[in-house]
Amino acid sequence: MKIFVSTASFFIVLLLIAKEEDYLNSFWIDGSTFTNHTRKGQTIYFSEWNENTQYFLKDKNYSVAIEMDRRFDPLPFDDLDFPNITSLAAISSDSLLINYLTFLEQFGRTKGVDYLVLPDSSGLSSLEERVIRLAHQKSPFFFLKRSILSHNIPDSKREYLDRLSDKTKIWVIAENENTKKIIRWNAKYREDDYKDFFKKIELAKKKAFTPTYDIPLGLKETIFESATFAIDNDFSLPLKSPHVTYIGDDLELKMWLEKYAQVLDVRIKGIPVIVDLRDRSDIKMKNGDIILTYKVVQNSYQTSQIVLPLRIKAEAMLLAQMLFGAEPIVGYHLEGRMIRNQQFLGYSNLQFSGIKENFLTLIDSLTKHAIRNYATPGLQLAVVKNGNIVYQASRGHYTYDSVIAVNEHTLYDLASLTKVMATLPAIALLVDRNLIDLDDSISRYLPEFLNSNKSHLTIRQLLSHNGGLKPYVPFWSMILGGDRINAFYYKTQEDEARDIRTYGYQPDPIMLDTLRSFLIQSNLIKNPSKYKYSDLGFMILHLVVEQVTEKPFDEFLAEEFYHPMGLSKTTFNPFKSGFMPEQIAPTEYDKRFRNYQVWGEVHDRNATIFGGVAGHAGLFSNAIDLAKMMHMFLNKGYYGGRRYLSQEVLKKFNKRYFKDNRRGLGWDKKDGILDAGSKYASDESFGHTGFTGTMVWADPKEDLIFIFLSNRIYPDVNNNKLRRYNVRTRMHDSIYESIKEKSQ
C-alpha cells in the first residue's frame, strides 16, 4: 500500500511538472527579486532598469521582458538617443510610425529583449494612446499591453476569477513564490486561447529579425523632421527680427543663427530671446522666450517651445531653419500648432543639397583669375538649391587698391537686373490685380503716346523687347546739351552757406517732362517686328506703373515686395536710404557725363536723368536679397508665408511669345546660341544679366538659383574681360556638373 501511494504521488508530481511547463510563460519573475536559483527558461521582467538587467540580456538561458515608460526607450541608460512617446505621438504618418516601431522591435531583439511591455495608457494623451495602439497592432506578441500583467498572486479562487475577467494573462511573481494553486486554477478555468496566446508569444520570440544597433540615418532624419513640434500660442514663430539673443552652449547653432540675424549674448528689450535647454536646465526663463528642448518644459512663464524628438547630425542647421521659417514644424501636439513651410530662404550645407563640392575648386580658381587679371576687383556669389543657400562667397575688394574688402552685405549696382527685379514684378502684380492687360497698348495708360509711332505697342511687346524700339538713346546728352553735371549740389541757400552737399542728380519736373517727350519722339528700328533688346521699353513700363498705381515707382516696389520680403539691402538711391559709401561697390569713373567716380549712385546715365529710379536700371542690392527674390519667383510667387504673385501670372512671364525671340516677358531664356546661363540649364530656366557685371538665373527643374554680382566696370566701362573669360557661365556650368556627379 505504501508502494502504491508513493507511485501515485510520483504521478501527481509529474502532472504538476507538466502543467508547470505548459504555463511556464504565464509566470514572469520580477527582476528586482532575482536570486541565483532562478529557473532557466524563465522570463525575467524588469519594470525599470536595475543592475541585473544587463546580465540577463546577455544570458541566453533566460527570456527578458522590459516595461517601457514615457521615454519609450527599451535601454534608457545606453548612449543611444530615442524619441519619447510624446515625440512619437507628434508623427502624423502611421506608416512612418510603424517603420520606427519595426526598428524598435529589431533593436530590442538585437539587444536580447524578448518582450517590450508598453506603458500604462492612463494619463496619456489621445495622441500618445495612438502610439500604444499602433505598437500593439504591429507586433502584438512583442509589444505587450501592460493590462495583461498582474503583479501579485490572488489568495482565493474568487479573486483569481476576477483577474481573468480583467484579461490578466501573465503573473509577475517574486523568485521562489509558490505557483501551484495558480497552475491548478489555470488548468481548470483557462480557455484554450490561453495556451494559444503563450504559443504565439513563444513563436514570436523565435521569429527571425535583422540585427539593428541604432536608428538608420534616413529614418532618424525623417523622424526629426516629422516629430518636431512647436508650442507657440503667442505666434512668436517664425522669427523675422534682424536681431536675436541666444542663451545656450551650442556654438554650431549660434553660427547658423548668425546667417539669419545678428546674434546677441544678452537680453535686450524688444529682441527675441532663444533659450537652449537641450543640454542645460539651469537657464532662467522669462515671458516671451523661445525654448529649445527635447521634452515639453512645464513652467509658469508664457513661453514658446520647439520640442525636438532626438539628436541628429544636422540638428543645428535644421533648428535654425525652423526658427526662421525656412523649414516647417509639422509635428502634432494637443497644445501646439503646426507651422507650415513659410518658404523663407534658408541656409544649408552642401552635403544635404544634392551638389558635390567639386564646383568649389573651379569657382575659386575662376574668381582668383578674374581678380588677378583685372576682370573685376571683387564679387559676390550665392548658390541656392532646394530653397536653401548652400554656397555664399564674397571675394576681392571694392577697388584694385584693396582698401575695402567685399562682404556679404556689400551693395552692387544691378544695372539691367532692375528690369527683372523691379519692373517685371511690378507689371506682373498689376496684371495679377487686373489693373492692366498684357495686350493693352501703352497709349491706354499713357495718353501722351497717342498719335506717336509707339501708340500701338503693347505691354507684352515691351516686356519681350519686340516693339521695334532702339536699343539705347543717350537722353542724358540730349537733355543737358552734352554738358557734364556737377558731383554735388546744394538744395537751398542755407545748405550752400553751411556747405551741406547733396550728391547725385535731382531732376526737376520740367526736365522729366522733356525726357518723356524724347521717349515719345524717339525713332523705331527699320524692322519694328524684329526682336531688339532695348532699355527704352522698360523706361516706358516704369511710367505705366506710376500712372496706374499713382505712386512713385520705388515706393510701390518697396511697399509691395522689398519691405515685406525683408529685402533690407535692396533699394534705389542707396544714399537716400541711409547707406554709406563704404557699404557700396563703386562703378565707373565717368569722364563723359559726371566727371567723377560714380559711387553709390546709379551708373546708367539715362537712369540718372530719371533721378536714379528707372525701369531699366537704378536698383542696388546684394546677393542674399536677390536670392530671396529669385526664390519667390521659383516658388510660384510665394515667400515667407505670403503670396506676392500668382502662379498663373508667373507662368505667362516665363514663356516666349514671338518668333526668333528667345526672351520671355522680361526674362532672358535659353536659345542655344547666345545663352547667358549654363548650357546645362533646362528650357524652363530664366534669368538676366546686367551691364555692371551681374547675373541671376533660376532653374525650376533643378530647384537651383545662381547669383553673380560684380563691379567689372570699375574704373573703366570698356573692361570686357569678365565676358572674355566667360567667368559667369563657366561658374554656372560647374554647378550643374557637380549636380550630375552627385546623382551618378
Side-chain angles (χ1 to χ4, degrees), residues 287-301:
N287 287 330
D289 286 353
I290 299 168
I291 310 299
L292 310 181
T293 178
Y294 292 116
K295 61 181 181 180
V296 177
V297 177
Q298 303 296 337
N299 62 78
S300 59
Y301 296 99

Side-chain angles (χ1 to χ4, degrees), residues 443-682:
S443 57
R444 177 174 179 177
Y445 307 102
L446 302 172
E448 61 266 38
F449 280 84
L450 283 170
N451 302 318
S452 74
N453 57 2
K454 303 173 187 65
S455 63
H456 64 288
L457 295 181
T458 65
I459 292 171
R460 189 189 305 272
Q461 287 176 297
L462 297 187
L463 286 167
S464 302
H465 301 273
N466 220 93
L469 299 175
K470 287 192 171 184
Y472 179 78
V473 176
F475 296 124
W476 58 273
S477 179
M478 298 162 61
I479 287 176
L480 296 180
D483 292 340
R484 296 173 179 174
I485 64 173
N486 295 320
F488 63 89
Y489 64 96
Y490 299 108
K491 287 184 176 180
T492 64
Q493 290 182 349
E494 183 181 354
D495 283 353
E496 184 174 5
R498 299 171 62 186
D499 195 24
I500 299 175
R501 304 177 181 185
T502 298
Y503 291 85
Y505 180 72
Q506 184 65 38
D508 57 47
I510 296 176
M511 190 167 289
L512 287 176
D513 286 342
T514 303
L515 179 56
R516 280 174 174 255
S517 177
F518 283 144
L519 265 175
I520 295 168
Q521 297 171 19
S522 62
N523 295 325
L524 301 178
I525 60 175
K526 291 183 179 180
N527 187 356
S529 63
K530 185 180 179 181
Y531 159 70
K532 196 70 174 179
Y533 183 84
S534 173
D535 284 348
L536 275 61
F538 283 76
M539 294 181 191
I540 296 170
L541 291 172
H542 162 207
L543 302 178
V544 170
V545 172
E546 293 193 332
Q547 182 69 26
V548 173
T549 63
E550 299 181 345
K551 292 181 179 180
F553 188 62
D554 53 343
E555 289 183 16
F556 175 72
L557 285 158
E559 290 174 8
E560 298 292 346
F561 293 98
Y562 306 153
H563 288 172
M565 289 181 68
L567 308 186
S568 61
K569 300 294 191 296
T570 302
T571 182
F572 292 90
N573 292 317
F575 289 155
K576 293 181 180 179
S577 298
F579 291 96
M580 304 300 291
E582 55 268 24
Q583 297 173 282
I584 309 164
T587 53
E588 178 191 13
Y589 188 96
D590 189 354
K591 298 177 182 178
R592 296 186 60 193
F593 179 42
R594 282 165 280 205
N595 201 31
Y596 58 81
Q597 174 65 59
V598 180
W599 197 323
E601 61 180 279
V602 61
H603 163 262
D604 185 274
R605 294 163 185 153
N606 281 339
T608 301
I609 299 300
F610 271 107
V613 180
H616 69 292
L619 196 63
F620 287 74
S621 190
N622 68 346
I624 296 173
D625 274 13
L626 294 187
K628 292 176 182 178
M629 197 74 175
M630 292 298 286
H631 179 56
M632 182 272 289
F633 289 128
L634 199 58
N635 200 44
K636 303 172 183 178
Y638 189 83
Y639 182 82
R642 171 177 168 177
R643 178 161 296 285
Y644 290 88
L645 296 168
S646 72
Q647 180 178 352
E648 293 72 23
V649 164
L650 289 176
K651 281 183 178 179
K652 291 179 181 179
F653 276 68
N654 191 27
K655 183 179 177 182
R656 303 178 187 90
Y657 291 93
F658 299 97
K659 184 180 178 181
D660 298 326
N661 183 344
R662 72 173 189 270
R663 302 273 174 174
L665 299 183
W667 294 117
D668 194 2
K669 294 184 66 63
K670 291 184 62 176
D671 66 356
I673 301 172
L674 297 173
D675 295 338
S678 170
K679 60 187 175 185
Y680 303 113
S682 72

Side-chain angles (χ1 to χ4, degrees), residues 181-246:
K181 61 180 179 181
I182 295 294
I183 292 174
R184 186 169 66 250
W185 290 336
N186 280 342
K188 185 174 181 180
Y189 296 107
R190 286 290 188 180
E191 302 292 338
D192 290 339
D193 67 331
Y194 185 59
K195 287 185 180 180
D196 185 55
F197 171 80
F198 290 109
K199 287 179 182 178
K200 287 179 178 178
I201 67 170
E202 188 65 25
L203 287 173
K205 183 174 67 174
K206 297 175 181 178
K207 185 176 67 175
F209 64 90
T210 302
T212 306
Y213 298 93
D214 196 1
I215 307 175
L217 180 60
L219 178 59
K220 185 179 289 188
E221 291 174 348
T222 304
I223 288 172
F224 184 93
E225 294 172 0
S226 302
T228 298
F229 62 88
I231 299 175
D232 183 36
N233 297 325
D234 289 340
F235 290 82
S236 301
L237 298 170
L239 293 171
K240 298 178 183 179
S241 171
H243 305 88
V244 296
T245 294
Y246 171 72

